[in-house]
Amino acid sequence: MVKIFRGDEFIDRDNEIEFLKNKFKSLPSRILWIYGPKSTGKTTLIEYIVENELLKDKSLNVKYINFRGKMIGSYDTFIDSILEEKNEESETELNRSYNLGMFKLEAKTLKKYKENKINLFDYLINEFKGKKNILIIDEIQVLENIYIDKEKLLLNEFLNLCVRLTKELHLSHIVILTSNTIFLEQIYNNAKLKNTSEFRLIKHLDYKTIEEWLKIKNFKENEIKLIYEYLGGDIARIKKLIDNLQYSKSLEEYLKFEAIMARSEIKLFIEQSKLYEKKEEMKKLNFIMDEIIKNNLFDNNKFDGYLDIISKLCEIEILFYDPVVNITYPNSQIYKKAYELIKEKQ
Ligand SMILES: Nc1ncnc2c1ncn2[C@@H]1O[C@H](COP(=O)(O)OP(=O)(O)OP(=O)(O)O)[C@@H](O)[C@H]1O
Ligand SMILES: [Mg+2]
């Protein structure tokens, strides 16, 4: 259940790994969107699979592009971030895993792309022909609002390419990761993309898995319950707790402090957006959070007119909206506890 990945613990995700391995064995026919709340481990999961499964299979042509941290402000910088000059060094085995994100071209051809003389997307289709391809893109929302020329939006062209490579040509598996749910909602509401895509949610871990993991780490049953009450199955926050517990008086004190910090985030949002002046909006926020405190979720299927305020809270990563089932969750359980604190003072 606990594996080691990059010298650190890698917990569970067996079902997701199995699902992806099977997916890659099938004929590519749809874009696969992997989405989920902040820090549930989407990137870690995909990188685990790339390193432990895909790279070992020499028959696969794997490209993994993570746009996080890449400064893409124009079409030129996009080209620079995925195309690279071919040289002998880049062909070596050692470089196979380091060069995953780049397409390699002869210097002369690369120049033509930079001068916008050749259509990059036609090139990419050719590049994929005759191979078993897997293309993985993380943080794709970075490509939003960038134009190739006056008429063409980069993101649209790129997603058109993805549809061609999957549904029409069956040439490459395409996996796209995002935790930006506002962005995902737009994709989901675009009929063409919805019909050519499938969506897989990566949630925080369930109680049983957290319990198993924390028992190995010598936590007692009542401590595990308390941790889950505050942090849910948020691996990143639980790892932080394990690293920092020694600096706290007690487990309870640590968790309460985390809730106070999360409360500050919500309060800051109310302050900065001057929400307190907008009675209707404040009422809506209170209602959403009441539902979350009661049911652990807010069911948008039951209540209309809440998506605007939910979008704002998704932007600052306090809430997570799942467009596939039309339900809103806290991004992490700690925001539910934080709102309980806010209510205590009301
Ligand atoms: N299965 C796992 N086992 C152990 N640690 C994990 C696991 N998944 C994620 N983590 C840890 O949690 C943190 C967040 O993971 P990661 O960045 O992969 O999440 P993400 O869903 O891609 O986040 P974002 O929403 O910001 O893109 C990392 O520090 C990572 O090491
Ligand atoms: Mg990520």
Side-chain angles (χ1 to χ4, degrees), residues 45 166 169 191 199-200 205 217 219 258-260 264 276 314 323:
L45 167 71
T166 50
L169 300 169
F199 299 85
R200 173 97 190 187
L205 296 178
K217 302 195 85 72
F219 282 93
E258 284 289 293
I260 289 169
S264 306
Y276 54 85
C314 286

Side-chain angles (χ1 to χ4, degrees), residues 42-261:
K42 300 174 286 298
T43 302
T44 306
L45 167 71
I46 215 72
E47 291 187 354
Y48 178 89
I49 290 176
V50 168
E51 284 183 29
N52 289 286
E53 303 286 340
L54 305 183
L55 283 183
K56 285 187 187 143
D57 184 344
K58 300 280 188 300
S59 72
L60 297 176
N61 177 35
V62 183
K63 290 281 168 217
Y64 167 56
I65 305 170
N66 189 340
F67 285 118
R68 175 165 286 181
K70 291 196 180 180
M71 301 293 285
I72 298 181
S74 65
Y75 184 57
D76 288 344
T77 44
F78 166 71
I79 292 227
D80 284 342
S81 76
I82 65 161
L83 300 185
E84 194 174 64
E85 191 181 322
K86 198 182 228 166
N87 57 35
E88 269 168 35
E89 231 176 70
S90 59
E91 299 299 305
T92 65
E93 192 57 30
L94 183 71
N95 274 325
R96 196 168 130 86
S97 58
Y98 294 107
N99 284 322
L100 276 177
M102 303 300 262
F103 293 90
K104 315 235 167 275
L105 284 88
E106 303 292 343
K108 242 172 43 195
T109 331
L110 185 61
K111 196 161 166 269
K112 285 188 187 156
Y113 284 109
K114 291 204 171 176
E115 290 164 1
N116 228 338
K117 289 192 181 134
I118 304 179
N119 183 326
L120 169 71
F121 300 107
D122 291 342
Y123 157 76
L124 289 178
I125 288 178
N126 275 324
E127 172 71 13
F128 282 144
K129 278 185 185 152
K131 297 177 195 157
K132 279 161 77 181
N133 305 289
I134 298 176
L135 173 61
I136 302 165
I137 314 284
D138 203 346
E139 304 287 340
I140 194 174
Q141 67 276 4
V142 168
L143 305 188
E144 255 187 319
N145 304 325
I146 292 174
Y147 281 83
I148 298 178
D149 56 36
K150 274 197 192 111
E151 281 122 55
K152 285 191 193 139
L153 260 172
L154 175 58
L155 182 67
N156 290 353
E157 296 299 308
F158 189 80
L159 291 174
N160 278 339
L161 168 80
C162 293
V163 174
R164 275 204 50 71
L165 284 171
T166 50
K167 180 187 165 230
E168 292 171 7
L169 300 169
H170 308 295
L171 261 181
S172 179
H173 286 285
I174 310 264
V175 183
I176 305 182
L177 284 69
T178 185
S179 50
N180 186 324
T181 60
I182 311 304
F183 173 79
L184 192 75
E185 196 214 342
Q186 288 162 23
I187 299 292
Y188 194 73
N189 287 318
N190 170 327
K192 183 178 167 198
L193 279 170
K194 188 175 176 176
N195 293 331
T196 49
S197 297
E198 65 180 287
F199 299 85
R200 173 97 190 187
L201 171 67
I202 306 288
K203 289 195 273 196
H204 291 299
L205 296 178
D206 60 18
Y207 183 75
K208 210 173 136 271
T209 315
I210 295 292
E211 187 187 26
E212 248 178 82
W213 171 42
L214 292 184
K215 271 194 176 157
I216 302 171
K217 302 195 85 72
N218 291 325
F219 282 93
K220 296 187 196 82
E221 194 69 50
N222 62 330
E223 292 175 327
I224 299 172
K225 284 210 172 96
L226 193 65
I227 293 172
Y228 198 78
E229 184 191 328
Y230 275 80
L231 305 181
D234 187 329
I235 315 177
R237 282 183 192 261
I238 298 176
K239 277 190 164 173
K240 190 173 138 219
L241 170 141
I242 294 167
D243 290 343
N244 290 296
L245 202 51
Q246 52 184 314
Y247 308 112
S248 279
K249 269 199 217 130
S250 69
L251 177 66
E252 194 162 0
E253 191 194 59
Y254 178 93
L255 291 168
K256 282 198 167 146
F257 187 66
E258 284 289 293
I260 289 169
M261 303 271 281

